[in-house]
Every structure is written in structure tokens, then in C-alpha cells.
């Protein structure tokens, strides 16, 4: 049952997602975009560097008082954790070693997962591929907030601020509730490795190191992309998942006649502030796709030429 008409609610539709069509149009108009396809050889070294820095921070974190620890976790650890999340995301698209070596990509994701504490790297790939294939599907796309979340946090600023603070928890738990999948052997391996690492970390350095860790699709074009691994190029990524994040800005420049016409944001903090403060924006401000019998979904995440 939907809320009162005055409140924002999900926009249910049977219209297919726009990215596959736009991808074909861009490739027809800009065949040079194909030069951006392929993996990012630097990613594995960046990932290992991030893990090393995070573990070094964890070692010294045991010496901090709790107030300073919380400051360090937010101001320093938060950037490192975002970088590790970006590595895991890129590995889900086989961007570290290429499509010919999927296991190597997954093993690197498991390594990047270690400082985060919660075993999710392998499961993330399964659910993220479904997010791309079934974007907006209320049953298969676990990226879409549930109606329970939309009602729980509502449209008030305090409620939406609380959701932002708890978002990692819901990102972990929502897929297990919306679309539970039986674990694979590699997922079990991910869990065993992560829990063993957590046990070793706590045994050696205590609990403190575990704390050293915001239209349908919009892009963000601003300087913070330099800090956020180009995560702001969201339309570009959904149009071309086989282009590494580091080349998404080039993609936008090659197809500027397309992307300049799409709505986008220029302020990352402004997006977060609007979500919190605007009562007409909520978790339900999403497009949901109803089941469409007979429509064949994309069958894999490797968008070939």
C-alpha cells in the first residue's frame, strides 16, 4: 500500500532501462569509444597499496584514545574504505586482470575486502551484475530500497540523515532479504578468509583497528571525482560497464554531445544535502521496473562489440 499522495513514492514502470539503447547509439555515433574498452593494469597495485596503508593505520590505531580513533576513522579511514569499495566494484567488472581471468579479479577483491571487516566481495559481484542486468527491478535489483525502508525513514531530514549513517548496513543486508541466493564455494572462501583475518587482527592489535575503516541515473561532474575513483560518472558506467573507472572521464568527453544533454550534478555535498533537506526526495524517489513477461534481460556483464 502506497503512502499518501502528497508523499514521494516509487515511480513504477514497464519501460526498459535506458543504458543498452544509449550504448548502441553512442557506439554508432562515436566508434572511437571502443578504444577505452579493456582492463586497468594499474588497479592491482593501487589495491595492494590501499590495503597496506589501511593495515598500517590499523596498527597505529590501537594507540589512539577512542575520541581520536573515531575522528581518524571518519576523516582518514573513510577515504581508504571508499577506495577499497571502488576496487571491489572494479573487480566485479573484471577490470583488474581482464575478462579472461575472472578468478584473479575475485581473489584481488577478497584481498581488498580484508580491511573492511565484513565478507562481501564475492557476493557483491553476483548482486551487482544483477543490478546492471535488471536495473530497477523491484525483485532482482537489490540496489533499490525496499518499501519498508522508504516508510521507516520517511521524508524528514532526521530520518534521511539516519539512513545515510546506516546505509552500509542496509547495503549488506538488503540483498539477503530481497533476493537471497545460495552461497557459492568462492563466497564461503571469502567468508572464511575474512573471519580468519578478523580473528588475527583482533588477537594481535585488539578491537580498535576494526574501526579504521551518500531522471533515473545521474552523473556527478566535479573535482571530488578525483578523490572518489570517478564513481560520479554513473551514467557512463552503466552505459559501458567494460570501461574502467579511470577512463570514464574520457568516455564522457568523446560522447559529450550525448552526456551534456543528460541531467547531472556538479556538487557531491549538494546532492547529499538535497536528499536530507528536501521533503520531496526520499528513498522512494526511484524508478522501479515491474516484471515484464517475455522481455529477455542482458545475459552477461561483458558488453562486447
Amino acid at each position: 500500500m502506497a503512502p499518501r499522495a502528497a508523499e514521494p513514492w516509487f515511480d513504477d514502470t514497464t519501460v526498459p532501462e535506458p543504458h543498452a539503447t544509449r550504448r548502441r547509439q553512442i557506439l554508432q555515433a562515436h566508434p572511437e569509444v571502443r578504444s577505452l574498452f579493456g582492463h586497468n593494469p594499474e588497479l592491482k597495485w593501487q589495491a595492494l597499496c590501499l590495503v597496506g596503508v589501511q593495515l598500517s593505520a590499523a596498527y597505529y590505531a590501537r594507540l589512539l584514545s577512542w575520541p581520536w580513533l573515531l575522528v581518524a576513522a571518519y576523516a582518514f579511514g573513510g577515504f581508504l574504505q571508499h577506495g577499497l569499495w571502488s576496487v571491489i566494484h572494479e573487480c566485479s567488472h573484471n577490470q583488474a586482470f581482464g575478462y579472461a581471468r575472472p578468478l584473479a579479479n575475485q581473489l584481488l577483491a577478497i584481498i581488498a575486502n580484508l580491511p573492511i571487516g565484513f565478507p562481501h566481495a564475492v557476493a557483491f559481484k553476483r548482486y551487482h551484475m544483477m543490478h546492471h542486468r535488471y536495473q530497477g527491478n523491484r525483485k532482482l535489483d537489490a540496489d533499490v530500497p525496499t518499501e519498508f525502508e522508504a516508510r521507516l525513514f520517511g521524508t524528514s531530514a532526521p530520518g534521511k540523515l539516519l539512513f545515510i549513517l546506516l546505509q552500509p548496513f542496509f547495503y549488506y543486508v538488503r540483498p539477503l532479504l530481497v533476493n537471497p541466493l545460495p552461497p557459492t564455494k568462492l563466497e564461503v572462501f571469502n567468508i572464511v578468509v575474512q573471519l580468519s583475518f578478523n580473528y588475527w587482527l583482533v588477537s594481535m592489535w585488539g578491537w580498535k583497528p576494526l574501526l579504521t575503516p551518500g531522471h533515473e541515473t545521474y552523473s556527478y561532474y566535479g573535482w571530488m571525482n578525483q578523490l572518489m575513483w570517478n564513481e560520479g560518472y554513473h551514467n557512463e558506467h552503466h552505459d559501458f560497464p567494460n570501461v574502467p573507472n579511470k577512463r570514464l572521464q574520457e568516455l564522457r568527453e568523446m560522447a559529450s554531445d550525448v552526456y551534456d544533454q543528460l541531467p547531472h550534478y556538479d556538487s557531491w555535498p549538494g546532492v547529499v544535502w538535497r536528499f536530507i533537506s528536501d521533503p520531496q526526495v526520499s528513498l522512494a524517489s526511484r524508478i522501479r521496473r515491474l516484471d515484464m513477461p517475455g522481455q529477455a534481460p542482458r545475459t552477461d556483464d561483458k558488453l562486447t562489440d
Side-chain angles (χ1 to χ4, degrees):
M1 180 172 132
R4 295 186 300 274
E7 298 179 9
W9 199 242
F10 295 99
D11 183 4
D12 291 332
T13 182
T14 57
V15 176
E17 57 87 13
H19 301 289
T21 299
R22 185 160 59 234
R23 178 179 184 272
R24 289 192 294 269
Q25 294 171 343
I26 290 175
L27 285 177
Q28 184 176 4
H30 300 279
E32 67 274 16
V33 164
R34 289 188 173 88
S35 66
L36 302 178
F37 293 0
H39 68 286
N40 175 11
E42 302 171 2
L43 185 63
K44 55 183 176 292
W45 307 119
Q46 294 168 337
L48 295 177
C49 180
L50 281 172
V51 171
V53 172
Q54 187 75 316
L55 292 182
S56 298
Y59 174 79
Y60 289 104
R62 76 193 200 285
L63 306 176
L64 297 176
S65 64
W66 281 103
W68 281 110
L69 177 64
L70 294 177
V71 171
Y74 181 83
F76 180 67
F79 282 103
L80 295 177
Q81 292 287 51
H82 182 86
L84 293 169
W85 264 100
S86 296
V87 170
I88 292 171
H89 170 263
E90 289 285 84
C91 287
S92 74
H93 290 284
N94 296 309
Q95 296 293 6
F97 297 97
Y99 286 98
R101 302 175 65 188
L103 181 59
N105 285 282
Q106 286 289 267
L107 291 178
L108 181 64
I110 290 173
I111 293 173
N113 195 163
L114 293 177
I116 295 176
F118 187 88
H120 71 282
V122 178
F124 173 80
K125 176 181 174 68
R126 298 177 74 189
Y127 285 106
H128 188 63
M129 292 303 98
M130 297 183 75
H131 165 61
H132 275 272
R133 296 170 191 162
Y134 307 103
Q135 180 179 315
N137 186 289
R138 57 182 177 176
K139 296 179 181 178
L140 299 175
D141 182 2
D143 194 65
V144 178
T146 63
E147 293 185 2
F148 170 78
E149 293 171 75
R151 292 192 178 94
L152 177 65
F153 296 104
T155 60
S156 69
K160 290 184 286 185
L161 177 60
L162 180 60
F163 170 76
I164 288 178
L165 296 175
L166 297 177
Q167 188 174 9
F169 170 78
F170 285 96
Y171 206 74
Y172 288 133
V173 174
R174 188 189 301 134
L176 305 178
L177 300 177
V178 172
N179 185 24
L181 300 173
T184 64
K185 292 181 180 179
L186 196 57
E187 284 181 76
V188 174
F189 177 73
N190 186 183
I191 294 171
V192 171
V193 169
Q194 186 66 60
L195 294 182
S196 300
F197 177 82
N198 291 352
Y199 177 79
W200 172 81
L201 193 68
V202 172
S203 299
M204 293 292 294
W205 301 337
W207 287 98
K208 287 183 178 180
L210 288 181
L211 290 180
T212 53
H215 183 80
E216 180 167 4
T217 307
Y218 291 82
S219 286
Y220 157 75
Y221 303 135
W223 66 270
M224 288 188 70
N225 274 318
Q226 303 302 315
L227 300 176
M228 300 300 181
W229 293 62
N230 281 343
E231 293 286 351
Y233 293 94
H234 200 197
N235 264 315
E236 292 80 355
H237 169 65
H238 269 267
D239 289 348
F240 294 92
N242 52 344
V243 174
N245 275 17
K246 67 174 292 185
R247 301 179 194 143
L248 291 177
Q249 183 177 358
E250 296 178 65
L251 169 60
R252 187 217 173 188
E253 293 169 353
M254 285 183 178
S256 60
D257 57 316
V258 175
Y259 291 115
D260 286 350
Q261 305 304 314
L262 300 178
H264 61 271
Y265 289 99
D266 296 309
S267 171
W268 195 309
V271 174
V272 177
W273 176 247
R274 184 190 173 199
F275 172 76
I276 295 173
S277 62
D278 188 343
Q280 295 303 311
V281 178
S282 75
L283 276 71
S285 301
R286 296 286 295 265
I287 290 179
R288 291 189 308 188
R289 287 189 166 78
L290 306 177
D291 295 332
M292 294 170 280
Q295 182 183 28
R298 284 152 51 182
T299 54
D300 71 354
D301 63 304
K302 182 180 179 181
L303 300 182
T304 60
D305 295 349

